[in-house]
Amino acid sequence: MYSTIDLVYLSFVYDVWDNVGQSNLSCESLLHKKPPYEDINLFFTIYRGLRGGTVEYNCKSILDKFGISYISEGPEREVKAISSINEAREGDLTMCYYEKEKGVSMISQSSAGIILCAKSMQGRVHPKDARQELFFLDNPRYAFVKIMNQMYNKKNTAGISARSVISETAQIGSGCYIGDYTVIGDDCIIGDNTMIGTRVSLQNCHCGNNSIIQSGVTIGEDGFSFERNADGELERFPHIRGVKLGDNVEVGANTNIARGSLSDTIIGNGTKIADMVHIGHHALIGKHCQIAAATAIGGKTKIGDMCWTGLNSTLKHEINVGNNVIVGCGAVVIYDVTDGDIVAGVPAKSIKDKVTTPSNKLFLMAGQN
């Protein structure tokens, strides 16, 4: 007769009102006043929080939900929070992707209730007491991210700030959040469930669904392109195209993405761009790339899928970078890079033959910090 969330709500109301003489109200009259909580996990959080309790999470259930295989050792338990491996306490979840002696040292010294460990650590480390559980996984960092997102899945309230400025010709999708003092120009298109922070400027831009644009970002202004006349004076090259961002793209604070001059600047689905990055006019960046902070990418440069650029790296204009490429921190790339290569230095050269880390782990490590 009643849904699960209705029963939780009724339990909460009777529990709170029992001491004030109102618990004799009918279920129907109470449900009529029920707030519109559609997320059962959110309601449990509020319910238990108001009762003075703390929400506990079962890591096995979350891992099973996402089909992540694991081997566990120690008594099954739940956790209340997440912390670093050095600061974690009995009620906390943490992780350690280090292996060999460094992994042994960090895991054995941690007081965390649950530690996600690399599978290679099985047999080398054990729970320090009856209050600790260890999980051994192929990629503990990935599993940690999935659990953390489940525990701290805080969604911004959809809405548009009254202090934002949005063109009448702009199209804003459903479920979007737009922060204070953000400006969205003529004919921009913002996809569904996209979060845009404060003081963002979007011009000549199409943004996909489920994206995040952090505060201070500028997208769609003219790029840096000029021609000299006979007297050596500079004349601006017109920019008449725009910027197209795919779905699930993230753009970090104070990043600039220039509009295209004759072709669009394109950012592929799932690509994540850190803070203070510059991307030049009609650059093309593929899918699921990671562009670290302060990377500078010149105009007309093409980057393939699943690439990673290190902190403060520079990619010259009009070069081609293949798929699954790693660019080292501070590298200056002035030549084309082939698929799967690893380059570093000034000017950047291939160091792939000098890297001893297995290729299946190296690319995962590139995104870790």
Side-chain angles (χ1 to χ4, degrees):
M1 180 178 179
Y2 299 115
S3 68
T4 302
I5 199 165
D6 286 344
L7 292 174
V8 172
Y9 174 73
L10 291 171
S11 177
F12 163 69
V13 172
Y14 282 124
D15 187 32
V16 173
W17 285 3
D18 186 54
N19 293 324
V20 294
Q22 298 188 58
S23 58
N24 59 340
L25 294 175
S26 69
C27 293
E28 286 72 24
S29 62
L30 290 174
L31 289 174
H32 182 70
K33 301 176 183 295
K34 180 174 70 71
Y37 295 121
E38 302 299 334
D39 187 333
I40 186 69
N41 291 321
L42 173 62
F43 196 89
F44 266 117
T45 300
I46 296 170
Y47 173 40
R48 298 182 67 172
L50 289 172
R51 293 190 62 196
T54 303
V55 179
E56 295 183 344
Y57 296 86
N58 186 292
C59 292
K60 286 187 176 180
S61 297
I62 298 174
L63 293 174
D64 290 340
K65 173 183 176 180
F66 292 108
I68 299 174
S69 60
Y70 59 85
I71 298 172
S72 63
E73 181 178 346
E76 183 172 348
R77 57 167 305 151
E78 297 180 334
V79 291
K80 302 174 183 177
I82 285 177
S83 185
S84 68
I85 193 165
N86 297 323
E87 299 176 340
R89 297 179 293 181
E90 182 184 340
D92 295 340
L93 166 71
T94 191
M95 66 96 183
C96 179
Y97 55 79
Y98 290 105
E99 302 178 67
K100 300 181 180 179
E101 295 306 318
K102 186 171 184 178
V104 171
S105 175
M106 296 182 73
I107 294 168
S108 62
Q109 294 180 49
S110 178
S111 299
I114 295 179
I115 306 176
L116 307 183
C117 314
K119 185 174 285 186
S120 64
M121 300 303 293
Q122 186 181 7
R124 300 194 66 180
V125 291
H126 303 279
K128 63 191 305 182
D129 54 40
R131 295 171 296 179
Q132 189 175 76
E133 184 178 16
L134 303 182
F135 284 78
F136 301 98
L137 309 104
D138 290 325
N139 186 352
R141 183 181 169 94
Y142 174 75
F144 185 75
V145 168
K146 298 299 286 187
I147 295 173
M148 192 171 182
N149 282 331
Q150 192 76 7
M151 291 175 64
Y152 295 92
N153 186 19
K154 297 179 180 178
K155 296 183 178 179
N156 285 282
T157 302
I160 298 174
S161 169
R163 290 179 287 272
S164 63
V165 179
I166 301 176
S167 168
E168 293 182 356
T169 60
Q171 300 178 38
I172 311 298
S174 63
C176 291
Y177 171 84
I178 299 175
D180 294 343
Y181 308 111
T182 284
V183 177
I184 300 179
D186 294 344
D187 301 319
C188 286
I189 298 176
I190 309 300
D192 297 338
N193 304 310
T194 288
M195 190 202 80
I196 301 174
T198 61
R199 301 183 186 279
V200 172
S201 175
L202 301 181
Q203 307 290 335
N204 311 295
C205 176
H206 290 194
C207 181
N209 301 320
N210 305 307
S211 294
I212 298 173
I213 300 175
Q214 295 185 13
S215 298
V217 167
T218 300
I219 298 178
E221 297 290 351
D222 284 0
F224 189 76
S225 183
F226 300 86
E227 287 296 322
R228 294 186 185 273
N229 62 21
D231 297 324
E233 298 170 336
L234 292 170
E235 186 168 344
R236 175 174 291 278
F237 195 108
H239 287 65
I240 59 175
R241 298 299 293 269
V243 178
K244 292 185 177 179
L245 277 62
D247 297 335
N248 301 299
V249 169
E250 297 188 20
V251 182
N254 298 315
T255 282
N256 175 69
I257 304 176
R259 69 185 295 195
S261 53
L262 302 179
S263 300
D264 290 327
T265 302
I266 298 176
I267 312 297
N269 293 340
T271 285
K272 314 301 182 186
I273 302 168
D275 302 345
M276 296 183 289
V277 169
H278 171 73
I279 299 175
H281 53 259
H282 55 268
L284 172 59
I285 300 177
K287 300 176 182 178
H288 306 294
C289 293
Q290 289 178 276
I291 311 298
T295 294
I297 300 172
K300 300 183 183 179
T301 284
K302 296 180 180 180
I303 299 175
D305 299 336
M306 298 286 290
C307 292
W308 183 87
T309 66
L311 293 166
N312 290 297
S313 58
T314 300
L315 286 75
K316 176 182 169 292
H317 66 286
E318 297 188 21
I319 62 171
N320 295 317
V321 176
N323 300 316
N324 300 296
V325 168
I326 295 176
V327 177
C329 296
V332 178
V333 184
I334 61 175
Y335 303 114
D336 292 352
V337 182
T338 58
D339 290 352
D341 206 353
I342 305 168
V343 297
V346 181
K349 298 180 180 179
S350 177
I351 60 169
K352 187 175 181 179
D353 60 342
K354 297 180 175 64
V355 176
T356 58
T357 303
S359 59
N360 65 324
K361 293 185 178 181
L362 183 64
F363 192 73
L364 290 174
M365 291 170 61
Q368 297 177 2
N369 52 52

